[in-house]
Amino acid sequence: MAAAAGVKRRALLIGALLATLLPLGPVTPAQARSVVDSTGRQVEVPDTITRVFAAGPPANVFLYVLAPDKMIGWGRAPRDEDKPFLLPAARDLPELGRLTGRGDTISIERLMASHPDVIIDFGVTSDTYRSLADRIQSQTGIPYLLIDGRFENTAAALRLLSDILGVRERGEALARAAEASFAEVDRVVASVPISARPRIYLARGIDGFETGSRGSINTEIIERVGAINVVEGVRDTGGIARVSPEQVISWAPDTIITMEPAIYRAIMERPEWQVIPAVKQRRVILAPNQPFGALDLPPSVNRLIGLKLLLHKLYPDKVSSDLRRELREFYRLFYQVEISDADLQRFIDAIGN
């Protein structure tokens, strides 16, 4: 009887000790909050977020611009020539791989081993991406946020994610800058008759014959600057496509834009390009691609500087702002680096201003 009472007392003591070690209620409500992403998904995220995994290249740029101190790595490590245009603390972060884009390159095991507080994706928010987000979140237990990456949604996206990440002041500054850029575009484009707007071909890939069809997130900048994307009939609306020299010749663009010096040289030198009006008129624009493409590659907030570049190049008599100053201020605000006079001059020379 006494032995049984002793066992009972020990059990009660152990139970009391365990009660002091265990939380008084479920962990999630005390340590998390509920947020709503761009698709309307309600996601539980930690109160304080310090480690963020970007699901693909657009999200990587978006996160770097907004909260570089919360990055845990790159989907693809920056090239050596890109690193001077990035913050020292971010430029040498590890290459982790990606969940979205042209094939996933990170395993679930490595993703979990990197211990992110949240996963973000920035770009298309279709059912396909929503399904992926739900699946990864279910498999890993890591909150997965989808942010609408349409160009027009840039300011709203900056405000949404900055609020979630706790960097509201920076997000507001960036959002206002984005709104100012779009407002300037609207002002300029409104003064240009449709008949006078340029017909543009975006040259990508290894040879310039990869491009984006009308409606593609990769060519949004063309339509947003009031121009006409000549690429049609290669596939349904949107997406990247391979095209032939004959197709480009038949579209007869009066302007070609690219971000790759090798493609620019090929366009200016190879015979198959010489019959195209843009080449005959020397209207081939080489936009900066450091640290990210100014027009695309990836289609993220880096495209905002492409708007300013195209406005100056396409409508020079309609723009009174100083492109040098705008370039310098963009790199300072968005990329948080000071661009050198030599690099600034190189960019200006390349686009022909």
Side-chain angles (χ1 to χ4, degrees), residues 169-246:
E169 184 176 346
R170 174 155 177 79
E172 184 60 28
L174 295 170
R176 289 182 179 180
E179 288 170 337
S181 294
F182 287 129
E184 183 184 21
V185 170
D186 291 339
R187 178 188 63 78
V188 171
V189 171
S191 68
V192 181
I194 293 178
S195 60
R197 297 181 187 179
R199 292 170 45 79
I200 295 180
Y201 173 78
L202 171 65
R204 294 176 31 132
I206 60 173
D207 56 4
F209 293 111
E210 177 185 276
T211 191
S213 59
R214 291 178 186 173
S216 168
I217 192 173
N218 305 89
T219 56
E220 279 183 304
I221 193 169
I222 295 176
E223 289 88 2
R224 190 60 185 83
V225 81
I228 299 165
N229 180 5
V230 300
V231 179
E232 59 181 345
V234 294
R235 56 175 295 164
D236 292 337
T237 299
I240 295 298
R242 287 287 302 173
V243 298
S244 68
E246 292 75 20

Side-chain angles (χ1 to χ4, degrees), residues 58-287:
N60 244 151
V61 176
F62 193 60
L63 179 60
Y64 170 79
V65 164
L66 192 58
D69 58 311
K70 299 182 187 295
M71 293 175 63
I72 61 173
W74 297 94
R76 183 177 180 180
R79 303 169 301 178
D80 288 341
E81 58 264 39
D82 297 331
K83 291 182 178 181
F85 301 93
L86 296 168
L87 286 168
R91 64 178 62 146
D92 291 320
L93 286 171
E95 180 174 313
L96 298 176
R98 62 176 183 252
L99 289 168
T100 59
R102 294 191 176 184
D104 59 303
T105 58
I106 186 171
S107 65
I108 292 297
E109 292 75 19
R110 189 177 186 194
L111 175 62
M112 295 182 69
S114 64
H115 303 295
D117 295 323
V118 296
I119 300 167
I120 65 161
D121 197 13
F122 179 67
V124 178
T125 55
S126 64
D127 289 344
T128 298
Y129 287 91
R130 179 169 180 158
S131 176
L132 173 67
D134 289 340
R135 177 170 59 82
I136 296 297
Q137 184 171 296
S138 176
Q139 288 178 337
T140 64
I142 303 168
Y144 196 130
L145 299 166
L146 293 171
I147 309 296
D148 184 353
R150 287 175 300 128
F151 210 11
E152 286 295 329
N153 194 60
T154 299
L158 287 164
R159 290 188 173 106
L160 173 61
L161 189 59
S162 66
D163 188 45
I164 293 172
L165 297 184
V167 290
R168 186 177 298 173
E169 184 176 346
R170 174 155 177 79
E172 184 60 28
L174 295 170
R176 289 182 179 180
E179 288 170 337
S181 294
F182 287 129
E184 183 184 21
V185 170
D186 291 339
R187 178 188 63 78
V188 171
V189 171
S191 68
V192 181
I194 293 178
S195 60
R197 297 181 187 179
R199 292 170 45 79
I200 295 180
Y201 173 78
L202 171 65
R204 294 176 31 132
I206 60 173
D207 56 4
F209 293 111
E210 177 185 276
T211 191
S213 59
R214 291 178 186 173
S216 168
I217 192 173
N218 305 89
T219 56
E220 279 183 304
I221 193 169
I222 295 176
E223 289 88 2
R224 190 60 185 83
V225 81
I228 299 165
N229 180 5
V230 300
V231 179
E232 59 181 345
V234 294
R235 56 175 295 164
D236 292 337
T237 299
I240 295 298
R242 287 287 302 173
V243 298
S244 68
E246 292 75 20
Q247 285 175 304
V248 180
I249 292 170
S250 70
W251 292 323
D254 57 45
T255 305
I256 295 175
I257 56 178
T258 187
M259 293 164 290
E260 294 296 334
I263 292 177
Y264 177 84
R265 289 192 297 270
I267 290 171
M268 302 307 290
E269 296 170 3
R270 293 186 63 86
E272 61 265 34
W273 293 94
Q274 303 313 304
V275 297
I276 297 171
V279 181
K280 288 182 177 180
Q281 300 162 15
R282 315 299 283 183
R283 284 178 58 87
V284 182
I285 302 171
L286 175 60

